[in-house]
Amino acid sequence: MIERKEYARRRRQLMRMAGADAIVIVAAAPERVRNNDAHYPYRQDSDFHYLSGFGEPDAVLALVPGREHGEAILFCRERDPERERWDGPRVGTEGAVSQCGFDDAFPIDDIDDILPGLIEGRRRVYYHFGRDTEFDLKLIGWVNRVRALVRQGAKPPHEFVALSHLLHDLRLYKSRGELRLMKKSARIAAAAHVRAMQATRPGLSEHEVEAELLHEFRKHGAVPSYEPIVGGGANACVLHYRANNAPLQDGDLLLIDAGAEVECYASDITRTFPVNGRFTAEQRALYEIVLAAQLAAIDEVRAGRSFDAYHQAAVRTITKGLLKLGLLGGTLEKNLREHAYRKFYMHKTGHWLGLDVHDVGDYRIDGEFRVLEPGMVVTVEPGLYVAPDAKGVPAKFRGIGIRIEDDVVVTGGAPEVLSADVPKDVEAIEALMAERR
Ligand code: GLY
Ligand code: MN
Ligand code: MN
């Protein structure tokens, strides 16, 4: 649980960065219709959640530094016993102040009358332009209401600034409370991967293994942080495979990329293992390359190293391995220079992880890769994918797809792997799978 005072601290920090003459406006995520009267499961907007911890739709947060009657203002739905009988309890404006710690709260239905008055006299508006067209239009309407009163002395804002620069830099550095939740999220996902390994056997369908993942997530109150990828055999070579409905074949590998979400914080784990519990020689040869690349990369996730260093470590290890195996020819340096590995390894080695699976934050500053700092969390996920129709590759390697992905915290010292509870050594995987009944 993130405490009330941590949300308040984030809001204060953002206001300090925005300046005394600014206003910050952030909207809650809208509810989204899936089809006819059925909705997608509601997921709060990550930025709104980060600043408010408030879980309802139809809400807007306004941060107004120095405002006498309170700086952090929430517009939200009012209590409504009739509606609450259908949709469940609402916090309401009084609860927003007494339970959630906002300085002031107003009914969302009154926002058109109140927000222009909060914008008036502020020089800069910080806002996510272009994220929600409907809300963009409302904001333009509120600003125009202020402009219309210029001759009466109203002072409209002069600058409109993208909120992401400030806010997403804050989100990049995880607090102790956030790291606790991310560890919990990774533990649940790791348990789900272990359960999936133990359930897998030839003849099952990919969706039956997916069900094991979902069972473990929900048992612990988590939801998937993205649609799980459960790809047997050559399906593992489809990077965003989502069908999850093919039978699992004896002798194939199974790639599972699945993460949990706990109080909006994501984990993101991939493991690849044999459907029948034993790697073949070819599978093992490729697997050991990916594992060596992943371990080399994790070792680069240290404060002071460039964000790109761990990708380069993975690429170098993979290229060496492919040369040794004969899937690439020539010198190491020439292959690296020409990115020859891209035929088999076509994605980057990782991304920021946090409230979003592909979390926010710039990867470069002034064109240069950013330097890792304590509190940042990344995934480390090298892979090898030999397409079923790959040219110039011995047939025995074709159709093998492997990825190994862990969640790693940059600390003051050694990298901290949040997802270490699920085995990735060949021996450990085979031992775990040998326990299957
Ligand atoms: N599961 C999404 C990713 O690995 O980036
Ligand atoms: Mn993943
Ligand atoms: Mn990932």
Side-chain angles (χ1 to χ4, degrees):
M1 228 332 248
I2 302 288
E3 289 180 44
R4 254 170 69 160
K5 63 175 194 266
E6 181 163 342
Y7 291 112
R9 190 171 67 229
R10 294 171 183 173
R11 294 193 290 263
R12 277 199 308 275
Q13 212 171 345
L14 182 61
M15 282 191 269
R16 215 167 26 241
M17 292 162 86
D21 49 358
I23 180 169
V24 177
I25 299 170
V26 191
E31 288 185 286
R32 293 189 171 86
V33 172
R34 183 171 180 272
N35 56 303
N36 206 14
D37 289 336
H39 287 79
Y40 284 104
Y42 185 70
R43 167 56 159 76
Q44 187 54 278
D45 176 82
S46 295
D47 286 330
F48 185 86
H49 174 79
Y50 183 80
L51 293 170
S52 72
F54 190 76
E56 297 181 21
D58 290 327
V60 173
L61 174 69
L63 299 179
V64 191
R67 177 175 172 265
E68 202 176 322
H69 300 293
E71 299 180 312
I73 303 157
L74 188 73
F75 294 88
C76 64
R77 302 180 302 190
E78 287 191 273
R79 299 292 309 271
D80 179 344
E82 175 63 19
R83 283 312 315 163
E84 288 178 50
R85 273 172 68 107
W86 288 83
D87 301 327
R90 299 175 173 184
V91 171
T93 47
E94 280 170 31
V97 175
S98 63
Q99 297 166 36
C100 308
F102 294 98
D103 300 326
D104 208 351
F106 299 102
I108 188 73
D109 290 338
D110 295 347
I111 195 167
D112 289 340
D113 298 326
I114 296 170
L115 200 53
L118 297 176
I119 293 172
E120 197 280 324
R122 299 277 151 179
R123 196 176 169 82
R124 283 188 307 287
V125 179
Y126 284 88
Y127 170 71
H128 286 308
F129 294 96
R131 191 181 277 193
D132 176 345
T133 315
E134 214 173 295
F135 200 83
D136 289 350
L137 292 174
K138 282 190 195 165
L139 180 65
I140 292 167
W142 296 322
V143 171
N144 282 340
R145 293 265 292 270
V146 181
R147 286 179 180 150
L149 298 174
V150 165
R151 260 171 290 157
Q152 283 94 308
K155 293 197 288 293
H158 294 278
E159 291 175 51
F160 296 85
V161 191
L163 176 58
S164 52
H165 278 304
L166 302 186
L167 183 52
H168 293 175
D169 208 61
L170 283 182
R171 278 179 52 187
L172 193 49
Y173 302 87
K174 275 66 179 178
S175 70
R176 233 182 289 185
E178 290 182 290
L179 290 173
R180 254 197 309 275
L181 287 177
M182 292 188 71
K183 186 170 284 187
K184 184 172 174 194
S185 174
R187 284 223 175 103
I188 294 170
H193 277 265
V194 168
R195 185 185 172 109
M197 275 184 198
Q198 288 177 320
T200 295
R201 52 184 48 97
L204 283 189
S205 166
E206 292 164 349
H207 64 72
E208 290 177 279
V209 177
E210 182 183 9
E212 301 292 330
L213 299 166
L214 299 178
H215 181 113
E216 196 69 19
F217 290 169
R218 294 304 297 139
K219 196 170 83 178
H220 293 101
V223 294
S225 51
Y226 53 91
E227 279 187 86
I229 296 171
V230 183
N235 290 339
C237 299
V238 180
L239 294 176
H240 293 160
Y241 179 72
R242 257 172 305 211
N244 296 359
N245 58 6
L248 297 173
Q249 312 285 352
D250 202 345
D252 276 353
L253 291 178
L254 175 60
L255 182 153
I256 298 181
D257 184 344
E261 185 178 282
V262 172
E263 292 181 42
C264 291
Y265 284 87
S267 49
D268 181 7
I269 303 178
T270 306
R271 288 293 184 268
T272 311
F273 54 93
V275 168
N276 64 14
R278 306 279 302 175
F279 285 86
T280 66
E282 292 74 32
Q283 290 165 349
R284 181 171 182 149
L286 289 173
Y287 188 90
E288 296 286 13
I289 295 173
V290 178
L291 183 58
Q294 206 233 10
L295 295 175
I298 289 175
D299 197 51
E300 292 292 327
V301 179
R302 291 172 186 270
R305 309 270 164 100
S306 150
F307 173 80
D308 191 45
Y310 78 89
H311 177 59
Q312 294 309 330
V315 157
R316 178 169 277 269
T317 308
I318 280 178
T319 305
K320 272 190 200 166
L322 292 174
L323 285 168
K324 203 162 159 210
L325 212 56
L327 293 191
L328 293 177
T331 68
L332 176 62
E333 293 312 323
K334 181 163 187 287
N335 274 279
L336 286 173
R337 216 171 31 245
E338 293 173 357
H339 306 296
Y341 58 86
R342 282 186 186 162
K343 178 174 170 191
F344 305 108
Y345 179 38
M346 54 296 278
H347 58 78
K348 294 290 255 192
T349 305
H351 48 83
W352 307 128
L353 182 71
L355 286 169
D356 295 311
V357 177
H358 291 181
D359 207 30
V360 294
D362 292 330
Y363 288 97
R364 294 172 193 257
I365 295 176
D366 297 330
E368 296 292 323
F369 278 109
R370 132 177 250 155
V371 170
L372 296 178
E373 295 174 64
M376 296 176 172
V377 184
V378 298
T379 66
V380 181
E381 50 177 307
L384 276 176
Y385 313 92
V386 187
D389 57 354
K391 306 246 171 5
V393 177
K396 59 186 181 179
F397 290 117
R398 289 190 204 135
I400 295 179
I402 296 163
R403 178 164 65 257
I404 307 172
E405 175 172 31
D406 280 305
D407 304 342
V408 184
V409 185
V410 183
T411 74
E416 183 187 358
V417 180
L418 297 178
S419 44
D421 294 348
V422 47
K424 59 185 174 185
D425 290 348
V426 165
E427 286 73 23
I429 289 174
E430 290 188 343
L432 179 71
M433 295 191 73
E435 291 169 13
R436 292 171 305 165
R437 267 171 288 133

